[in-house]
Amino acid sequence: MKKTNDSFTLEFAKDSGFDRTEIYFYSGTPDLMGVYFSEDTKQNRLFVTDNTIAALECNRDFVRHFNVDLGDISDIKINESKVYRNGGDTLCIIGSGEKYKTIESVLEMVKAALDSNFNRNCLFIAIGGGVITDMTAFAASMFKRGVDVEFVSTTMLADVDAAVGGKTGCDFGNYKNMIGAFYPAKKLHVFSDFVKSLSQKEYISGLAEAIKTAFLFDKEMLELFKNERDKVLARDSEILNRLISGCTKAKAKIVHEDLKEKGSRAFLNLGHTFGHALEAVSGLGEITHGEGVAWGMARAFEYGRKNGLCSDEYAQNGINILASYGYNVGKANVPAEKILDAMRKDKKNMSSVIKLIVQDGPQSTKIIEATDEKILEVLR
Ligand SMILES: NC(=O)c1ccc[n+]([C@@H]2O[C@H](COP(=O)([O-])OP(=O)(O)OC[C@H]3O[C@@H](n4cnc5c(N)ncnc54)[C@H](O)[C@@H]3O)[C@@H](O)[C@H]2O)c1
């Protein structure tokens, strides 16, 4: 395990009620034992992960420490978990993926800590993608009215987005992230090599958020996406480190300025109003979040071009970059009116008028009020 030099601290605004997140970047094989078992601790700890991550070769020593039989965790039912104990440490494993992001899974975590007789000084540690980090932090926010939480992020999406910024929660019924709280992690450990074992589908999904960050804030990174496509797709180590640390820092900067999304944090929703609507209309899980966001960014560029907000050239350049990574940038396979209707229902849309994030040039972003007719023009 090699800690890189660019660890940093995300300080939250004074009036936010939160203190800070210490963020550490590592290159080389992920080493959970090195991070959490190289020194003795008296603190009780609840580790939470999913059964795919627990089965990764690089985590073998970690699960062995808890005597986990991998056969035992191959098929964990929804709303259930497997719990293991060793000394003051407890490991709670749930199934993998969005369908496990339920309030019952969150309560399984709380129950594991209660059954271990943990008090308010314990620590919750999420090892996983956005599903695990969102739920573990939410469980930590509730357990005995709030205990500390730390993250080890293991997906591209969690590294560049979900693990930074304090939004936590779970789904409810068919509604995504309907229950939750703001509750940032005290520490975030980022091993960029975790990304190498992700399926191509999950990698490409997370990459869309990284491309979004480049459009919003980072000209150099955008050039890299344009000129180093093959290396990006091959998950070249140096490129991964650059992308992940660049995106994590950019998100941290925005969160520092605007934790509760009263202003500039809304820029992070570039592509999301269109994208969430397509995800909802296609059926949850039919397209990945990243595919939705990439398609949504292409729609936002079209909107900008058609309404004279940005140049033809700027819009086309953005669309070309997205298309070069294989995202659908054209018309969706579902009726435009249904997408428009879903956009109106987006939980981030507070008024009757749909607000869109658009760009008028490189790294220049604004929020506009869009009319139904103009939205339909870019959907048809
Ligand atoms: N809190 C936020 O600000 C925020 C922001 C964006 C997204 N999110 C949430 O994040 C979730 C999506 O996150 P995600 O894409 O990380 O999903 P995820 O946590 O479900 O992980 C995706 C899949 O990859 C597997 N996986 C994880 N790490 C792996 C690894 N290193 N190697 C191989 N497989 C691995 C998981 O088991 C899972 O099957 C959504 O629920 C979304 O709402 C939250």
Side-chain angles (χ1 to χ4, degrees), residues 80-127:
E80 290 184 6
S81 67
K82 299 273 181 183
V83 178
Y84 302 84
R85 294 186 172 84
N86 184 344
D89 292 323
T90 297
L91 170 63
C92 176
I93 305 179
I94 64 161
S96 319
E98 188 73 28
K99 61 179 187 287
Y100 292 86
K101 198 178 179 187
T102 62
I103 188 69
E104 287 82 4
S105 292
V106 175
L107 295 178
E108 284 289 297
M109 298 168 197
V110 170
K111 184 172 183 304
L114 267 182
D115 289 347
S116 296
N117 293 319
F118 284 1
N119 62 25
R120 289 201 62 193
N121 296 323
C122 73
L123 172 67
F124 282 22
I125 300 161
I127 301 160

Side-chain angles (χ1 to χ4, degrees), residues 50 52 96 98 101 129-131 134 154-155 157 167 177 194 197:
D50 73 30
T52 302
S96 319
E98 188 73 28
K101 198 178 179 187
V131 167
D134 276 13
T154 66
T155 64
L157 188 72
K167 287 188 185 176
N177 299 327
F194 263 126
S197 55

Side-chain angles (χ1 to χ4, degrees), residues 2 10 16 39 90 96 99 146 160 163 182 206 270 279 300 303 326:
K2 209 170 122 211
L10 157 57
S16 68
E39 286 170 16
T90 297
S96 319
K99 61 179 187 287
V160 305
F182 278 95
L270 177 66
E279 274 184 272
Y303 190 98

Side-chain angles (χ1 to χ4, degrees), residues 300-312 314 356 358-361 364 366 368:
F301 284 129
E302 280 296 359
Y303 190 98
R305 163 168 40 206
K306 279 205 157 65
N307 293 286
L309 301 170
C310 67
S311 69
D312 238 20
Y314 182 69
L356 280 184
V358 291
Q359 290 202 295
D360 50 17
S364 175
K366 56 185 178 186
I368 56 150

